[in-house]
Amino acid sequence: MCFAQQRGMASSPKQQDVNGIPVEQWDGTLFEALAKAGGSVYSNYAVGYNNVKVEDANKHGIAVGNTPGVLTETTAELALSLTFAAARRIVEADNFMRAGKYEGWLPNLFVGNLLQRKTVGIVGAGRIGTAYARMMMEGHKCNLVYYDPYPNKFLESYVAEYAKLLEKHGKEAPVSIRKLDTVEAVLKESDVVSLHCALTDETKHLINSERLNLMKKDAVLVNASRGPVIDEVALVKHLQENPNFRAGLDVFEDEPKMKPGLADCENAVIVPHIASASLWTRAGMATLAACNVAAVLKQQPATTKSMLAFVDDPFDKIPGEAPSIVNAKDLPKDKFPQFK
């Protein structure tokens, strides 16, 4: 049962707004019910909104909000954590200790991969992909390759300047970045591949059996984007057949369920969709979602300010504007005159 149904939205004649979470599927049925109940705005408690059929919201005159700008570093940090937990076999070693199996140091006990100066591949070089890339490059001197439909000139320039800094002050070998023409090229070359692409018809099962077989046998695959980007059945098979291949997963194809066999793969680190689960970020998401709703009900315009103005400033300084209404340009102007 979805959050809106639990609150009795469909039967309430006074319902004006709904905040929802990204595991709820919002389509014409719920938007029609919200409109009939007098509602005018729905805000997703997430930056992504692939769970929302925005065209259905437009049809019923419902503004759709989301919560961008406060998940970038938090999500990138979680992807980084999954990367090293998988590469250094942290969860396996932790379980080993808790089971009372440790009897003394051994030279081959839970040997993993050193990632310093390895090649990191980014699929989707947006804000989160960029933050993750910088963490791996600055912290571990990794070289970067990436695939994205658009060149990331900021990241390319940043890496070039950082490479100069290393040469000048540290007398170290420079780091590098290259935009590759295909996902396949990234997979073949990388020691670590981190997925940061949006879920679309084109990216569903982007990582399938054929592409998994292009990766290095001891590579690490990280997904903190959306579960269906990976063909999970194919991943389970690949993990079973390649014990030195490792995965770090925050999201799953049939969330909250996992495909059969994944839980038994010791070479996979699996966590329950917690990429945004830092206190600052979750509080910020709640604030942005609430501000979206409040601003629409007060007929306040969409903001041009940074999202940080809504979450870092004192409460009485929060802008009287909507942080992010994704369909503002498509809404009827007689009902939403503030979105001109």
Side-chain angles (χ1 to χ4, degrees):
M1 179 178 291
C2 80
F3 184 51
Q5 290 170 324
Q6 288 175 322
R7 290 177 57 175
M9 179 200 73
S11 61
S12 171
K14 298 180 180 180
Q15 187 71 40
Q16 291 184 303
D17 69 89
V18 172
N19 283 320
I21 56 178
V23 295
E24 299 172 359
Q25 298 301 313
W26 273 78
D27 56 17
T29 301
L30 285 177
F31 284 123
E32 181 181 11
L34 178 58
K36 286 182 177 179
S40 59
V41 55
Y42 164 87
S43 191
N44 220 31
Y45 185 66
V47 61
Y49 49 93
N50 57 284
N51 61 308
V52 179
K53 290 191 178 297
V54 178
E55 63 273 18
D56 289 346
N58 294 339
K59 178 181 176 182
H60 294 285
I62 303 295
V64 175
N66 68 334
T67 63
V70 294
L71 294 93
T72 302
E73 285 76 18
T74 293
T75 301
E77 282 186 359
L78 193 279
L80 186 81
S81 301
L82 289 172
T83 301
F84 283 93
R88 296 302 302 272
R89 306 177 65 182
I90 300 299
V91 176
E92 292 176 77
D94 181 86
N95 289 336
F96 183 83
M97 286 295 294
R98 293 177 190 276
K101 296 180 180 180
Y102 182 54
E103 296 180 353
W105 185 89
L106 290 171
N108 61 347
L109 187 63
F110 295 109
V111 173
N113 292 343
L114 175 70
L115 297 184
Q116 194 81 358
R117 292 218 170 260
K118 294 296 179 68
T119 298
V120 172
I122 308 295
V123 178
R127 287 174 296 189
I128 296 171
T130 296
Y132 173 85
R134 288 178 59 183
M135 291 175 186
M136 293 297 291
M137 183 268 296
E138 293 179 88
H140 306 280
K141 309 302 183 290
C142 291
N143 294 309
L144 305 175
V145 294
Y146 76 96
Y147 173 79
D148 194 281
Y150 307 98
N152 189 326
K153 296 300 184 183
F154 165 79
L155 184 58
E156 292 177 6
S157 174
Y158 190 91
V159 173
E161 291 300 317
Y162 190 75
K164 293 177 183 177
L165 181 70
L166 288 176
E167 289 185 287
K168 180 178 180 180
H169 295 287
K171 306 300 181 183
E172 297 184 61
V175 290
S176 65
I177 183 170
R178 288 177 293 129
K179 182 183 184 298
L180 302 185
D181 293 333
T182 64
V183 173
E184 286 81 1
V186 171
L187 297 178
K188 288 178 182 179
E189 190 165 335
S190 301
D191 299 291
V192 176
V193 173
S194 193
L195 306 175
H196 299 283
C197 50
L199 178 60
T200 66
D201 291 340
E202 290 72 30
T203 61
K204 182 177 181 181
H205 286 188
L206 180 72
I207 305 301
N208 53 26
S209 58
E210 291 79 9
R211 288 188 170 123
L212 285 166
N213 285 321
L214 295 175
M215 298 181 69
K216 296 179 180 180
K217 294 299 183 182
D218 62 348
V220 177
L221 176 65
V222 176
N223 188 15
S225 59
R226 287 292 184 263
V229 171
I230 296 178
D231 180 345
E232 203 168 297
V233 171
L235 177 61
V236 170
K237 185 173 185 293
H238 194 77
L239 288 165
Q240 291 170 338
E241 295 177 352
N242 298 275
N244 292 324
F245 184 90
R246 308 200 180 277
L249 306 174
D250 179 56
V251 288
F252 307 91
E253 188 170 352
D254 298 325
E255 203 166 311
K257 297 179 180 179
M258 294 184 291
K259 294 295 187 184
L262 181 58
D264 298 322
C265 292
E266 293 186 346
N267 47 342
V269 177
I270 47 179
V271 297
H273 203 151
I274 57 170
S276 64
S278 71
L279 181 60
W280 182 85
T281 292
R282 288 285 171 88
M285 291 164 64
T287 299
L288 293 177
C291 287
N292 278 329
V293 167
V296 171
L297 295 180
K298 294 178 180 179
Q299 293 195 331
Q300 294 170 330
T303 192
T304 57
K305 298 181 175 67
S306 164
M307 296 299 103
L308 298 183
F310 292 84
V311 299
D312 279 350
D313 290 346
F315 186 78
D316 60 352
K317 301 294 185 182
I318 291 178
E321 298 170 330
S324 179
I325 302 298
V326 302
N327 61 339
K329 295 181 180 179
D330 300 317
L331 295 168
K333 298 302 180 276
D334 56 336
K335 185 177 180 180
F336 298 93
Q338 70 270 39
F339 300 138
K340 296 179 180 179

